C-alpha cells in the first residue's frame, strides 16, 4: 500500500503547470530582402494580423512577441505552446499572397530557424549547344 501512495504523490510534482514555456523562432529573410523583392515590414505586419492565439486572431497580448532584427530576420518569441510548422504555413501563405511562391521556398535550417531561399534553377547548357 505504501508503494501506491508514493506513485500518486509523484503525479503533481511532475506536472508542467508551474513551468513557464518559452519558444523562440527565427525566420531568416535576408537573401530576398537584400535583392529587394521581399518587404519585411509587410511580413511582420502580416504575422501580427494572422497569428491565432486560442483560436482568435489579434489576440497576441504578452504571450507572443514578434520583432524585426537588423539583418533581415524576424524573431517570434512565444510564452505558450506554439508550433514552428504554423509559422512556416503562415510564411508560405504570405509568399503566395505576394506572388513570390514560385521563386522562394521556406526551409528549416535548424530547430526553430526557418530560412527563405531561392529555388535552384539549373539551365541545361547542353540543349543550347545543339542549336
Amino acid at each position: 500500500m505504501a508503494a501506491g501512495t508514493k506513485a500518486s504523490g509523484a503525479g503533481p510534482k511532475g506536472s508542467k503547470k508551474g513551468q513557464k514555456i518559452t519558444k523562440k523562432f527565427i525566420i531568416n529573410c535576408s537573401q530576398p530582402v537584400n535583392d529587394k523583392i521581399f518587404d519585411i515590414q509587410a511580413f511582420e505586419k502580416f504575422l501580427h494580423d494572422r497569428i491565432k492565439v486560442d483560436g482568435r486572431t489579434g489576440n497576441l497580448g504578452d504571450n507572443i512577441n514578434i520583432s524585426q532584427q537588423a539583418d533581415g530576420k524576424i524573431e517570434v518569441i512565444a510564452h505558450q505552446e506554439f508550433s514552428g510548422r504554423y509559422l512556416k504555413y503562415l510564411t508560405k501563405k504570405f509568399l503566395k499572397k505576394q506572388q513570390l511562391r514560385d521563386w522562394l521556398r521556406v526551409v528549416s535550417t535548424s530547430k526553430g530557424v526557418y530560412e527563405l531561399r531561392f529555388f535552384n534553377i539549373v539551365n541545361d547548357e547542353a540543349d543550347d549547344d545543339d542549336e
Side-chain angles (χ1 to χ4, degrees), residues 41-53 56-60 66 86 90 97:
Q41 283 85 15
F43 180 53
E44 184 181 7
K45 184 180 181 332
F46 178 84
L47 289 178
H48 272 287
D49 296 343
R50 294 294 178 99
I51 288 181
K52 287 186 177 182
V53 177
R56 301 180 68 181
T57 58
N59 192 19
L60 296 181
I66 303 170
Y86 181 54
L90 287 174
K97 185 179 171 189

Side-chain angles (χ1 to χ4, degrees), residues 1-2 7-8 11 13 23 25 27 30-31 33 36 40 45 48 54 61 74-75 82 87 90 99 109 124:
M1 286 188 204
S8 64
K13 247 185 207 176
K23 291 189 173 188
F25 299 97
I27 304 172
S30 57
Q31 198 175 7
V33 167
K36 294 181 177 47
I40 197 160
K45 184 180 181 332
H48 272 287
D54 297 329
I74 298 265
E75 184 178 61
F82 192 75
L87 215 52
L90 287 174
Q99 298 172 346
T109 54
D124 294 329

